Amino acid sequence: DAGVIQSPRHEVTEMGQEVTLRCKPISGHDYLFWYRQTMMRGLELLIYFNNNVPIDDSGMPEDRFSAKMPNASFSTLKIQPSEPRDSAVYFCASSLQGGNTEAFFGQGTRLTVV
Amino acid sequence: GESVGLHLPTLSVQEGDNSIINCAYSNSASDYFIWYKQESGKGPQFIIDIRSNMDKRQGQRVTVLLNKTVKHLSLQIAATQPGDSAVYFCAENRAGGYNKLIFGAGTRLAVHP
């Protein structure tokens, strides 16, 4: 398996624009997580899905952020409108048993909002 | 917000020495812990895990110790190598209905030749 695949690797956008980050989890994994990493706040869990259903979105910073998982092999994280403070590295991870087993991380998407 | 904390933000060691990275967690009900390694420009990579019914687990050159009495976790790396230079995170799964990993702030390990 190629692991968790995220795209794009880098995204530079202007403030106010819509940004969509994409993730393909490892085949067979039932859980998918979206994390955001910044120097100030470290790795923050934004939202996670189980069997394509959002379970906990308490980490989503505000209504500008939304996440979907239309099927078992694809998820998106959308920011609309984007702001400079959204600049961060966004990671997608997947696992077999939620928080009770190892989560495998993608390479991340580095987002810069100017 | 909720977080798992770390004692030392940066640890510098000589190549060949043993390294010890520490982590304090706040929820005594947490039942599963993982150490991750993150190299520059990459996502976190699994190193070793431990469940709360154990107090020690060993892997290849790494050992994780869990002290539930004082809510402390440590990662020991034997014969540290330059390739071990990275940021290390501890993560916990908090019991009681949670099913997600919460990460600590991270410790940077710098290995000098």
Side-chain angles (χ1 to χ4, degrees):
Chain A
D1 198 311
V4 176
I5 299 173
Q6 292 186 247
S7 64
R9 287 296 310 277
H10 302 274
E11 177 80 35
V12 180
T13 191
E14 291 185 346
M15 182 174 62
Q17 295 298 306
E18 177 180 293
V19 175
T20 299
L21 310 181
R22 297 172 175 80
C23 175
K24 181 180 186 306
I26 292 173
S27 178
H29 282 190
D30 295 329
Y31 287 81
L32 183 141
F33 304 84
W34 282 100
Y35 286 86
R36 177 172 68 176
Q37 186 174 39
T38 61
M39 290 294 292
M40 292 296 294
R41 300 175 67 88
L43 266 166
E44 301 174 278
L45 178 64
L46 301 178
I47 185 172
Y48 79 93
F49 296 81
N50 177 212
N51 291 325
N52 314 337
V53 177
I55 302 301
D56 184 345
D57 64 354
S58 60
M60 296 286 263
E62 37 192 290
D63 292 345
R64 297 184 297 107
F65 285 69
S66 62
K68 294 182 180 180
M69 193 165 185
N71 58 63
S73 59
F74 184 65
S75 177
T76 59
L77 178 67
K78 187 175 294 186
I79 309 172
Q80 166 63 18
S82 58
E83 296 182 4
R85 61 193 168 118
D86 302 330
S87 298
V89 181
Y90 291 81
F91 287 103
C92 176
S94 70
S95 71
L96 279 170
Q97 297 177 31
N100 285 313
T101 190
E102 174 190 0
F104 294 81
F105 281 77
Q107 295 283 58
T109 295
R110 180 173 294 278
L111 173 65
T112 303
V113 184
V114 297
Chain B
E2 296 180 7
S3 66
V4 175
L6 289 171
H7 294 309
L8 300 173
T10 304
L11 178 65
S12 294
V13 300
Q14 293 295 123
E15 181 178 357
D17 287 352
N18 297 333
S19 303
I20 300 176
I21 301 172
N22 296 303
C23 176
Y25 62 95
S26 57
N27 191 329
S28 58
S30 292
D31 57 2
Y32 178 65
F33 304 87
I34 301 181
W35 280 101
Y36 280 89
K37 172 186 180 184
Q38 186 177 25
E39 296 173 291
S40 181
K42 297 183 178 180
Q45 288 182 289
F46 172 90
I47 301 174
I48 192 167
D49 60 0
I50 189 167
R51 300 198 179 274
S52 58
N53 60 353
M54 304 171 68
D55 53 19
K56 180 179 180 179
R57 191 159 189 228
Q58 288 184 291
Q60 186 178 12
R61 283 201 307 118
V62 294
T63 300
V64 56
L65 299 178
L66 175 62
N67 185 331
K68 294 182 285 294
T69 302
V70 295
K71 292 183 286 187
H72 184 266
L73 195 68
S74 68
L75 176 70
Q76 300 178 0
I77 304 174
T80 312
Q81 302 169 0
D84 295 326
S85 294
V87 177
Y88 290 79
F89 295 93
C90 64
E92 64 178 321
N93 181 38
R94 297 179 176 176
Y98 291 94
N99 199 18
K100 56 190 181 184
L101 288 173
I102 303 299
F103 282 77
T107 294
R108 181 173 300 280
L109 176 65
V111 182
H112 303 285

